[in-house]
Amino acid sequence: MKFKGEHILFTQQFDKEELLSLFAEAKKMEKVIADAKKGKESKILEGKIMATLFFEPSTRTRFSFEVAMLRLGGRVVSNPDMLNTSSLKKMESLEDTGRTIAEMVDVIAMRHPEMGAVAKLAKASRVPVINGGDGAGDHPTQGLLDVYTIWKEKGRLEGLTVGLIGDLKYSRVLHSQVILLSKFKGVKFVLVSPKELKLPAELKKEISRNITGVNHLPGDTFVEVENLASVIADLDVISVNRIQTERFSSEAEAEKFRGKFVVSREVMKKAKKSAIIICPLPRREELPTEVDADPRARYFEQVKNGVAVRMALLKKVLVR
Ligand code: NCD
């Protein structure tokens, strides 16, 4: 991938070298943020404008994109409620919306409840579109910041045992993490979910496909379990995500699975001292606030890292 001028739609777009180069750039961006806080603001994206088009609720992702752009000296126009307040209400197509907005800005960040909708709009846009989450599909920038956090904290990605806990069927974040982490040699996935919410088969295939050539047998790099306590002691990374209630046919259907896997203080007693807990947030009962004081908790650092990663991506897509 050359980055400049490209849409960022799928986690699969990144190969290992591109990931590491993005992480190196994000590291530099942490310094840009520190300088900005001292009053020395960056001009890297001066004159550039980003539109954020959000068709689904968001706290972190939209602000993170916007802050990233502002920290680089760029500017932002934002619609957090496209579903109700844009011309889509007048039956405009996603394509026409994309084509229209692309005539006015330099880059678009977008979130949508339907899988594939961001790619659809991007097809009609002549400026880069970055996927901020499309339904139960993909959430590349969250996956990137999660893996960046792991890389920074552990100093490597190879050979880690990563526990993905919760709604493996619908969590786009866990899907993006699987795709990115399976690019690194010897990563072992421990997939912890109720049997109804297992990781989709294509993603299990993705794990096996990526390891071909690094001497692993298919199936060798993941195990599926329904009991968190039995595996917690093996994990280097404890990756938690809530049950994605809004993707179920009814709220009652989702309720059945809530509270099944709770990374409580009690459970963390058995985890490695060196383990880290990551979570894209928001959280509910699966990650009680009593765990926030645990030195292994990294979910608020992730928020900070997210700005740096998005800055790196915006820079690469817009200038180099
Ligand atoms: C996630 C999302 O929107 O997929 N949140 C985020 O972007 N930080 C995770 C979630 O909603 O559970």
Side-chain angles (χ1 to χ4, degrees):
M1 178 166 46
K2 57 180 174 17
F3 283 102
K4 187 164 180 203
E6 286 195 47
H7 300 308
I8 306 295
L9 301 173
F10 309 107
T11 306
Q12 280 100 330
Q13 281 173 255
F14 296 86
D15 67 22
K16 192 172 142 183
E17 279 63 44
E18 287 156 355
L19 281 178
L20 295 173
S21 97
L22 185 77
F23 293 170
E25 189 70 53
K27 256 283 145 86
K28 290 189 210 152
M29 291 302 175
E30 290 189 25
K31 167 100 175 47
V32 174
I33 297 172
D35 286 346
K37 285 185 175 170
K38 284 187 231 144
K40 199 175 141 245
E41 291 188 9
S42 165
K43 292 189 162 106
I44 293 173
L45 293 186
E46 196 175 38
K48 303 280 187 202
I49 299 176
M50 174 179 70
T52 49
L53 315 181
F54 275 56
F55 294 78
E56 222 189 26
S58 170
T59 296
R60 280 151 289 273
T61 305
R62 187 169 62 91
F63 278 177
S64 182
F65 269 114
E66 296 183 0
V67 170
M69 192 67 186
L70 295 171
R71 288 284 188 220
L72 287 169
R75 279 178 284 196
V76 175
V77 285
S78 182
N79 187 341
D81 188 18
M82 284 291 286
L83 216 45
N84 293 304
T85 67
S86 76
S87 285
L88 281 125
K89 254 301 209 232
K90 304 180 195 167
M91 309 312 281
E92 183 168 63
S93 67
L94 273 175
E95 287 87 344
D96 278 359
T97 300
R99 189 158 177 196
T100 300
I101 292 168
E103 291 301 324
M104 298 184 265
V105 303
D106 303 288
V107 61
I108 295 170
M110 170 176 171
R111 166 174 288 188
H112 198 283
E114 268 166 49
M115 209 189 284
V118 180
K120 200 167 167 190
L121 181 139
K123 244 184 151 170
S125 163
R126 60 180 184 81
V127 302
V129 175
I130 307 180
N131 183 0
D134 64 325
D138 212 333
H139 192 349
T141 61
Q142 181 70 43
L144 290 168
L145 79 90
D146 297 338
V147 176
Y148 177 66
T149 302
I150 301 170
W151 174 78
K152 253 176 73 181
E153 296 289 335
K154 310 293 289 180
R156 69 187 164 106
L157 293 162
E158 281 83 4
L160 296 175
T161 299
V162 182
L164 305 181
I165 302 158
D167 183 351
L168 283 156
K169 182 175 178 188
Y170 294 120
S171 168
R172 56 192 175 198
V173 173
L174 297 180
H175 298 170
S176 300
Q177 289 176 5
V178 164
I179 293 167
L180 292 177
L181 287 166
S182 64
K183 297 188 190 299
F184 293 86
K185 199 169 166 173
V187 171
K188 177 160 177 143
F189 294 95
V190 180
L191 307 174
V192 187
S193 74
K195 59 178 172 313
E196 296 87 344
L197 301 180
K198 280 188 178 176
L199 191 71
E202 344 44 289
L203 284 163
K204 280 186 239 172
K205 245 189 253 154
E206 184 71 22
I207 300 178
S208 307
R209 193 176 64 79
N210 277 327
I211 53 154
T212 316
V214 288
N215 297 329
H216 282 95
L217 293 170
D220 201 26
T221 49
F222 67 88
V223 286
E224 294 179 295
V225 298
E226 286 178 57
N227 183 334
L228 176 60
S230 67
V231 294
I232 191 86
D234 301 331
L235 308 179
D236 298 309
V237 178
I238 299 165
S239 173
V240 190
N241 198 194
R242 70 186 171 92
I243 299 295
Q244 306 284 297
T245 309
E246 65 275 37
R247 317 258 177 251
F248 286 71
S249 51
S250 73
E251 207 161 306
E253 190 56 33
E255 281 302 305
K256 289 199 259 178
F257 302 108
R258 278 186 47 208
K260 284 224 166 170
F261 304 110
V262 177
V263 179
S264 61
R265 192 149 61 190
E266 196 50 40
V267 167
M268 284 307 294
K269 278 185 187 159
K270 293 201 218 108
K272 288 185 187 175
K273 261 208 154 69
S274 61
I276 57 168
I277 310 170
I278 61 169
C279 175
L281 301 170
R283 56 152 159 212
R284 294 182 79 179
E285 60 287 312
E286 64 285 337
L287 191 52
T289 52
E290 63 179 23
V291 179
D292 296 0
D294 189 311
R296 295 166 290 188
R298 289 292 181 282
Y299 28 96
F300 289 106
E301 267 94 332
Q302 276 175 268
V303 175
K304 200 165 144 191
N305 290 337
V307 176
V309 168
R310 292 188 174 100
M311 286 167 79
L313 200 56
L314 284 168
K315 181 185 169 206
K316 278 181 174 285
V317 159
L318 285 171
V319 299
R320 163 177 75 68

